[in-house]
Amino acid sequence: QVQLVESGGGLVQAGGSLRLSCAASGNIFSVNKMGWYRQAPGKQRELVAAIASGGSTNYADSVKDRFTISRDNAKNTVYLQMNSLKPEDTAVYYCKLRNIRVAVNYDYWGQGTQVTVSS
């Protein structure tokens, strides 16, 4: 089992910055992928950014050049630095860890942290 604890959400004005953190503990595979998803009211959950244990990253087009995902493998922690925030970034942000094996993957989710960007 894996536990994920998120922190760093809050209220910020448009143009401001926030940094989210997600600390993972438990049975974490050496090959894994951690990522941030978000869900706004009335919308589906969407991928924001993800980073593999080897360091490769991918981002949603809407956040490229504004958000940066990074990770500290020694601490099993992933970060999301969010700059130039816009009101449309308002959502609950969820951390996800995928343990990866050849035949099967195991997904775990955090409880979510609210990010609110005021105009």
Side-chain angles (χ1 to χ4, degrees):
Q1 194 68 303
V2 172
Q3 294 77 42
L4 302 170
V5 178
E6 300 134 332
S7 60
L11 173 64
V12 64
Q13 288 188 332
S17 297
L18 282 174
R19 188 191 194 210
L20 305 183
S21 299
C22 173
S25 61
N27 185 23
I28 301 167
F29 293 2
S30 58
V31 179
N32 64 73
K33 195 166 191 177
M34 297 186 75
W36 290 95
Y37 289 70
R38 67 187 181 188
Q39 188 166 19
K43 294 188 176 182
Q44 288 190 330
R45 191 172 297 188
E46 62 176 1
L47 173 69
V48 177
I51 184 166
S53 47
S56 60
T57 60
N58 60 290
Y59 294 89
D61 288 342
S62 59
V63 306
K64 279 180 183 176
D65 301 323
R66 299 189 298 123
F67 291 10
T68 302
I69 191 169
S70 61
R71 64 187 290 165
D72 183 335
N73 288 333
K75 296 181 179 180
N76 291 320
T77 299
V78 64
Y79 306 96
L80 185 68
Q81 178 65 45
M82 305 186 292
N83 298 329
S84 303
L85 283 160
K86 305 175 181 180
E88 51 263 43
D89 294 318
T90 295
V92 178
Y93 283 69
Y94 296 91
C95 177
K96 174 185 169 183
L97 181 143
R98 169 166 287 183
N99 274 334
I100 299 171
R101 283 214 168 124
V102 173
V104 64
N105 300 323
Y106 302 89
D107 290 342
Y108 303 90
W109 292 90
Q111 80 284 356
T113 185
Q114 177 71 46
V115 171
T116 303
V117 184
S118 63
S119 56

